[in-house]
Amino acid sequence: MPQAMIYPILIHPDPRLKKVAQDVPDLSDELRALADDMLKTMYHAPGIGLAAPQIGIDQRVIVMDCVKEEGATPRPTAMFNPKIVESSDEKNIHEEGCLSIPDVYADVERPRDVTVEWLDRDGVLRRETFTGLWATCVQHEIDHLDGVLFIDYLKPLKRQLITRKMQKLKRDIARDKV
Ligand code: NI
């Protein structure tokens, strides 16, 4: 088995971050390896969630680990074809960030609890209700599969400012690479 690899993460704006990703077919070793690569990429960043479109892969795969307490057991989670099947009426406001929008944070309001169905790495259909940080994170990551970024929930002017900041960051990165 080859060692998991770390992918470069796409930075907004990028057309690949705005696409609706494709359902994955039956689970395979390739898909399990992709999930391992995504987890490694996420932990390395570091981050608590990553969606396949963020590494330029047009498939409905997300990974998460929202266990942040020092010394707590990590909970690496990979979901294939995740779908929100129930959302609470109660809302929750949480400050969000995104590995594709580095160093930008903003409050986003979303349903407080969500029930998600997904295929696990063995291709078994799973269903679980998430709350707190996990609920925020899973909604944020599933949004990525539909080409939606957390800044899409902000006012247009704020979104434009962030997009310009990211365009400048990408120019700076490109210049450093020359
Ligand atoms: Ni994100």
Side-chain angles (χ1 to χ4, degrees), residues 87-150:
S87 303
S88 65
D89 292 334
E90 297 90 347
K91 307 285 188 205
N92 189 30
I93 294 174
H94 204 282
E95 188 178 64
E96 296 189 25
C98 181
L99 294 175
S100 294
I101 311 172
D103 299 320
V104 173
Y105 301 92
D107 284 343
V108 177
E109 188 185 76
R110 299 181 187 269
R112 195 193 60 192
D113 316 308
V114 287
T115 303
V116 181
E117 278 186 1
W118 74 96
L119 295 175
D120 70 11
R121 49 192 305 135
D122 298 316
V124 175
L125 184 67
R126 303 276 303 271
R127 182 189 173 105
E128 191 174 326
T129 300
F130 293 94
T131 191
L133 182 58
W134 284 89
T136 296
C137 188
V138 75
Q139 291 177 82
H140 175 121
E141 299 312 328
I142 291 175
D143 269 355
H144 273 299
L145 304 180
D146 293 319
V148 175
L149 302 172
F150 82 93

